[in-house]
Amino acid sequence: MVTYRPAMKVPVFNLLTFNHPITQSPISPMRILFSPAERQHLTFQESPRKALSSAYLEAREKVWQQKLDDAHVRGLELWNGEIYTIERFIQTDESHLVIELSTCEYKDITFTIHHTIQGIVRDYGADHLHPYITINGIPVTEDGRCVFGLRSAHIFASDNMIGLIGGTANKDEMPINALDEVRRFMHMEMQEETRLIYDARDLTLLGLHHYRGKYEFLYTIRLPITADRLSDYHEPGEFTQLIGLTPEEAKATDLRGVDAFRFNRGHLHDIVVESLTIP
């Protein structure tokens, strides 16, 4: 089993201790860690999208139109899509875990961010929450620095915020039926957002995280370059530049970061250690 522990006080689970009940209520931040053997027995199944009330749908459409208008004024692009969610976990035995997927629309994510998780629960009920999936990566350089990007302007983030390479698990971009397809999605995001060169087979799943009403598959990979060469691998678009931070620098930085950076920066020592095991 995985033996390392987080630097922050966030619950850590493995398959022998993890018993997540079927629930529609928000749950606290947590990290689920998998051993290599457990990754081989992690499977997915998809369930139909849940029904939503007319009041929710009407309010969602109003907010979506506001976001479209805002994006147009700022010269930004915003489009809807079908995003994977995690509905529940089914543990069939000590080493087999089935993750039940469904989908929501990107509209649902924008509405939840606007209305807040607490507001959705209060006004429409917890069954209107959408625990959507993100797939992110934190590569590590030869000199032990974790790679992030300074974000370009975005509808939900101002420019130069520290962000992770990756994005929401969009079914329109790549259907996900197996864990290997999650890794391929991560590789696709890395290729779109950077010019980093690596063997995609070496992308290593660190764990499944939950925070701020969403789930995150987090990957790492050991890069054969030092951080001072990251400018050579910057792809204009998603980020204005790539940066390399030690775990200590990430904790101490005055730069603002998106929620994925704020959650993961307390675990960067573990990520650097894990990257050393990658061939």
Side-chain angles (χ1 to χ4, degrees), residues 175-248:
I176 293 175
N177 299 296
L179 187 60
D180 187 59
E181 289 167 344
V182 180
R183 181 184 59 80
R184 287 198 282 129
F185 191 99
M186 181 72 257
H187 174 59
M188 179 182 69
E189 292 289 310
M190 293 268 279
Q191 295 297 292
E192 289 178 354
E193 298 179 2
T194 77
R195 295 177 181 172
L196 294 170
I197 299 173
Y198 57 89
D199 188 334
R201 294 171 298 181
D202 292 335
L203 280 168
T204 300
L205 177 65
L206 289 168
L208 177 61
H209 301 163
H210 180 277
Y211 55 91
R212 296 197 66 177
K214 63 183 176 182
Y215 286 95
E216 172 192 67
F217 286 96
L218 184 69
Y219 284 81
T220 191
I221 192 166
R222 192 75 171 186
L223 300 174
I225 60 170
T226 52
D228 58 358
R229 294 187 55 203
L230 285 173
S231 60
D232 297 335
Y233 298 92
H234 171 238
E235 175 67 33
E238 186 75 17
F239 302 114
T240 58
Q241 70 179 90
L242 298 178
I243 60 173
L245 300 174
T246 65
E248 294 73 25

Side-chain angles (χ1 to χ4, degrees), residues 114-185:
H114 173 86
H115 203 66
T116 75
I117 294 173
Q118 293 78 10
I120 295 291
V121 174
R122 180 192 65 235
D123 296 337
Y124 307 105
D127 57 339
H128 283 67
L129 294 176
H130 304 276
Y132 65 97
I133 299 173
T134 61
I135 301 173
N136 293 327
I138 302 179
V140 178
T141 61
E142 275 187 341
D143 50 344
R145 292 176 178 268
C146 298
V147 179
F148 302 97
L150 296 185
R151 294 286 300 269
S152 302
H154 186 268
I155 193 68
F156 293 119
S158 57
D159 56 356
N160 286 328
M161 292 185 74
I162 302 178
L164 274 60
I165 301 166
T168 53
N170 192 323
K171 187 176 182 179
D172 302 323
E173 293 184 65
M174 180 184 293
I176 293 175
N177 299 296
L179 187 60
D180 187 59
E181 289 167 344
V182 180
R183 181 184 59 80
R184 287 198 282 129
F185 191 99

Side-chain angles (χ1 to χ4, degrees), residues 1-4 31 33-36 39 138 140 202-207 218-222 267-279:
M1 301 302 298
V2 178
T3 57
Y4 60 84
R31 302 173 69 206
L33 309 179
F34 307 104
S35 70
R39 294 171 198 148
I138 302 179
V140 178
D202 292 335
L203 280 168
T204 300
L205 177 65
L206 289 168
L218 184 69
Y219 284 81
T220 191
I221 192 166
R222 192 75 171 186
H267 312 306
L268 296 185
H269 176 73
D270 296 339
I271 293 170
V272 172
V273 170
E274 179 72 12
S275 74
L276 294 173
T277 68
I278 302 173

